[in-house]
Amino acid sequence: MTTPSSPRQRILDHLTFLYGPDRAPALMGRLKAILEDFRRRNPHLARKGPARRDRLTERDAVLITYGDQVTAPGKRPLVTLAELLERHAAGAITIVHLLPFFPYSSDDGFSVIDYTAVNPALGTWEDVERVGRRFRLMFDAVINHISVQSRWFQEFLRGNPEYAEFFITVEEGTDLSMVVRPRALPLLHPFQTAEGEKWVWTTFSADQVDLNYANPEVLLRIVEVLLFYVEKGAEIIRLDAIAYLWKKLGTPCIHLEETHRVVKLFRAVLDEVAPHVLLITETNVPHAENVSYFGNGYDEAQLVYQFPLPPLVLHAFLTGDATHLSTWASGLSTPSDETTFFNFLASHDGIGVRPVEGFLSPGEIQALVDRTLAHGGYVSYKTNPDGTESVYELNISYFDALSDPKGEEPLDLQVRRFLTSQAVMLSLAGVPGIYVHSLFGSRGDPEAVERTGQYRSINRAKFDRRTLEQELVDPKSLRHRVFYPYRHLLAVRAAHPAFHPNGPQQVVNAHPSLFALLRTAPDHSISVLCIHNVAGTEVALELDVAPWTPGRGSRLRDLISGRQIPIERGRLRCRVAPYEVLWLTETEN
């Protein structure tokens, strides 16, 4: 499959599909005017950036953080965050994903009141741009829904005809049983409007009303929002909850072709006026559905989240067996060198379990649920079409999911287990996304759940800068023991071309307790054999390495420790300690 010859032709094709041949030409004219106005204001953006395949390299790593993640007396949180990252993360992190920093009414920022303003409690646009002076920026586009306090919805309630079709109303009693639900909450909520009570579509909560993209005015407004983010420095735009974007009665209302066409239209718009900007789709769904947002490799998102990875890694460490993880990784591929995976283990949300449907059995998923509850975490559920509920996500910090916070294991063992889990993620083809609480070695905050009544709050604690930096310089603290080795792993990864996001990878079946991966530079000049022991027992490894060692030397060097391991007649023989990581490459004699 090939894409149309120009972004503008692609845009027209998508408008025609979405709104019909009669309306598409006029809409194209309006959208063309928006793009030309943007280009006049920002002529440099059409030329910005390296070649497409080099927009992300082995040097790139993303930090996921809230804008008010770090506070200090008398300073705006975004300024404090910038100062902390400049001091501690520069050189290890190249991209900062600022979770929604807009005025909001609930859901820790994901119920946006104004898409184009910075929450004054966090700072200003100048503060956001300061972060962007040292780091590339990733913004959230929370465009499936908007806050009930937003001007758009308030105008809808007042009966302003301009906003009459900005939201989706459904007659009470309409059969919506086919709709896929990500929450165990009502799909519709009643609102009093100037025209009486109306039942409005609310996929995620009563405070988050879904936008109606069947109305092209909504689409045009959102395009303007995305272009505004580009003007403010966004180089990656995360399309939040994008799978639910388009609604059509009598369908599941998830992954509809219209939704894919909207994403493709966004891609074509950016290709036209800001081709350096990348789209990433956030779709917490089974793997095959998730990767469908790559499109044909050239026309949709450049990145998708690796949602199966967090539960599969957790399962591997729970059982001491990496077989399922290895099987899944063996089947990974991307449709072009313009696409890659966004690998992550933790985020502001929980650990989704839907993505491992088909990879883990119901009993294995239940074991993850039991581990979460035993370690002080929580479990969130979704409503199925038949009215039953099933597990949606595990709410717990990733460190606690691996190690019981009330257990008696030595801290060094817990840290080693955690860092090995992170090394698995860092070794995979793609770009690593590191949640701020993982980088700084945080445990869960169950008291926050008691305060907010929200399970996700357990993994959303904020830092006091003075306390955080005191812990970072204390060699006995958990934060110190996690942060500095994590930085070292990132530095090792960034220095080796075999970790390029689009470099080939091959799973090596060495032992059930070992997740072993052969990474190779895109030009095939050099490889790294990444070995991770997911078990608490030592493993005797014997492996034929002759196929990927051209014979320049008789030793392999561990990039992490500097340790050298001899090769005897093309075979590697060594003992891999519990939760040990070895990233091995050839060394000269």
Side-chain angles (χ1 to χ4, degrees):
M1 178 178 178
T2 59
T3 58
S5 58
S6 73
R8 289 200 179 189
Q9 182 59 51
R10 287 152 55 196
I11 292 170
L12 180 59
D13 289 347
H14 300 318
L15 288 173
T16 301
F17 178 88
L18 292 169
Y19 303 112
D22 294 336
R23 302 171 77 185
L27 292 171
M28 184 66 191
R30 293 175 62 189
L31 188 50
K32 180 180 177 182
I34 292 171
L35 299 183
E36 289 179 348
D37 184 53
F38 176 87
R39 193 193 299 274
R40 280 194 298 271
R41 297 195 309 271
N42 307 280
H44 62 290
L45 291 180
R47 304 185 298 272
K48 185 176 179 180
R52 292 186 175 214
R53 68 181 63 187
D54 294 323
R55 285 181 291 189
L56 296 167
T57 74
E58 65 275 9
R59 295 182 296 278
D60 288 309
V62 181
L63 182 71
I64 306 165
T65 180
Y66 284 100
D68 61 348
Q69 185 61 53
V70 190
T71 59
K75 285 192 176 181
R76 296 186 298 275
L78 279 167
V79 173
T80 304
L81 176 67
E83 292 176 347
L84 181 87
L85 296 183
E86 288 164 4
R87 180 175 180 182
H88 297 284
I93 297 296
T94 60
I95 303 167
V96 175
H97 172 198
L98 288 173
L99 292 162
F101 48 83
F102 318 106
Y104 71 97
S105 53
S106 64
D107 199 15
D108 286 344
F110 284 87
S111 183
V112 178
I113 295 174
D114 185 347
Y115 287 127
T116 61
V118 175
N119 183 348
L122 275 62
T124 66
W125 276 114
E126 288 73 22
D127 299 331
V128 173
E129 290 164 359
R130 171 176 173 169
V131 178
R133 286 199 290 270
R134 289 292 297 275
F135 305 92
R136 298 164 69 184
L137 293 175
M138 175 172 163
F139 289 0
D140 272 281
V142 190
I143 55 173
N144 175 75
H145 49 264
I146 196 169
S147 168
V148 298
Q149 295 183 27
S150 66
R151 186 175 70 85
W152 294 1
F153 191 66
Q154 291 301 308
E155 292 297 321
F156 165 82
L157 295 179
R158 294 186 188 103
N160 184 337
E162 181 181 351
Y163 295 88
E165 296 183 4
F166 264 52
F167 304 94
I168 303 163
T169 58
V170 180
E171 293 295 325
E172 188 177 7
T174 299
D175 182 7
L176 300 171
S177 59
M178 288 187 65
V179 177
V180 172
R181 301 289 293 113
R183 297 284 186 275
L185 294 169
L187 180 62
L188 305 177
H189 281 89
F191 291 90
Q192 287 299 325
T193 77
E195 301 170 351
E197 184 179 77
K198 293 186 178 181
W199 288 83
V200 182
W201 200 294
T202 54
T203 296
F204 291 94
S205 80
D207 186 49
Q208 296 164 298
V209 285
D210 289 49
L211 292 166
N212 178 23
Y213 284 84
N215 174 9
E217 299 299 325
V218 172
L219 179 76
L220 294 176
R221 291 282 190 96
I222 294 300
V223 167
E224 291 178 319
V225 168
L226 299 183
L227 294 177
F228 176 77
Y229 292 166
V230 174
E231 286 187 285
K232 291 300 185 180
E235 294 193 31
I236 304 177
I237 296 177
R238 175 183 183 267
L239 301 178
D240 175 70
I242 196 68
Y244 304 95
L245 193 76
W246 197 282
K247 284 78 175 177
K248 186 188 295 183
L249 295 182
T251 75
C253 297
I254 185 172
H255 310 314
L256 297 184
E257 177 59 23
E258 289 85 350
T259 293
H260 283 282
R261 289 297 189 119
V262 171
V263 178
K264 291 177 181 182
L265 186 146
F266 292 160
R267 167 72 181 271
V269 163
L270 293 172
D271 282 352
E272 172 75 6
V273 296
H276 69 289
V277 177
L278 307 174
L279 289 176
I280 178 170
T281 49
E282 187 262 337
T283 51
N284 192 354
V285 294
H287 184 74
E289 300 169 28
N290 188 34
V291 297
S292 70
Y293 288 86
F294 278 139
N296 66 17
Y298 302 94
D299 66 344
E300 205 163 342
Q302 290 97 338
L303 299 103
V304 301
Y305 277 75
Q306 281 283 38
F307 278 105
L309 186 59
L312 284 173
V313 170
L314 185 57
H315 171 269
F317 282 86
L318 170 63
T319 61
D321 187 339
T323 301
H324 287 321
L325 176 63
S326 297
T327 299
W328 166 77
S330 295
L332 294 178
S333 65
T334 58
S336 77
D337 60 6
E338 290 189 19
T339 57
T340 195
F341 291 110
F342 187 78
N343 300 318
F344 77 111
L345 291 180
S347 74
H348 58 291
D349 291 338
I351 302 169
V353 297
R354 278 206 70 209
V356 288
E357 293 173 4
F359 294 107
L360 297 182
S361 69
E364 289 167 328
I365 292 174
Q366 185 60 45
L368 298 182
V369 170
D370 295 342
R371 164 68 71 94
T372 297
L373 296 173
H375 286 197
Y378 303 88
V379 178
S380 296
Y381 294 84
K382 72 178 186 73
T383 301
N384 301 315
D386 62 1
T388 61
E389 292 186 353
S390 57
V391 176
Y392 178 72
E393 68 178 17
L394 313 176
N395 300 112
I396 190 169
S397 80
Y398 212 80
F399 196 102
D400 287 351
L402 291 167
S403 300
D404 188 351
K406 296 180 180 178
E408 298 181 355
E409 287 183 319
L411 186 59
D412 283 348
L413 177 64
Q414 298 179 49
V415 168
R416 190 161 68 249
R417 179 190 292 129
F418 176 74
L419 288 171
T420 301
S421 75
Q422 305 303 297
V424 168
M425 181 262 291
L426 295 177
S427 71
L428 285 161
V431 178
I434 304 159
Y435 189 37
V436 65
H437 283 295
S438 293
L439 183 64
F440 288 104
S442 297
R443 306 211 81 131
D445 184 13
E447 293 180 0
V449 177
E450 295 178 10
R451 290 193 306 271
T452 67
Q454 302 295 320
Y455 289 164
R456 286 178 169 178
S457 297
I458 196 169
N459 200 26
R460 295 181 176 181
K462 302 299 191 285
F463 300 140
D464 171 75
R465 180 178 178 180
R466 183 165 178 254
T467 302
L468 174 63
E469 293 191 320
Q470 286 175 340
E471 291 180 289
L472 287 177
V473 298
D474 178 4
K476 295 181 181 179
S477 74
L478 174 59
R479 296 201 190 282
H480 180 98
R481 296 186 194 197
V482 168
F483 177 74
Y484 291 102
Y486 209 140
R487 271 193 60 108
H488 179 60
L489 284 174
L490 287 167
V492 169
R493 182 184 185 278
H496 206 287
F499 291 110
H500 190 284
N502 295 113
Q505 71 178 16
Q506 175 187 343
V507 172
V508 178
N509 294 313
H511 185 280
S513 293
L514 300 180
F515 179 69
L517 196 67
L518 182 66
R519 294 299 314 278
T520 303
D523 64 1
H524 299 276
S525 60
I526 194 166
S527 296
V528 175
L529 177 63
C530 305
I531 298 171
H532 314 84
N533 187 352
V534 303
T537 54
E538 185 179 76
V539 173
L541 172 64
E542 182 172 346
L543 189 65
D544 180 12
V545 295
W548 62 274
T549 53
R552 290 192 297 266
S554 59
R555 293 179 179 274
L556 297 178
R557 177 173 60 90
D558 177 23
L559 297 172
I560 299 170
S561 67
R563 169 187 171 192
Q564 297 202 8
I565 302 174
I567 304 171
E568 300 176 3
R569 296 180 181 177
R571 300 194 71 79
L572 167 67
R573 295 182 179 86
C574 67
R575 306 192 75 81
V576 186
Y579 307 122
E580 185 176 15
V581 179
L582 298 171
W583 286 352
L584 304 174
T585 191
E586 271 200 296
T587 184
E588 298 289 346
N589 283 332

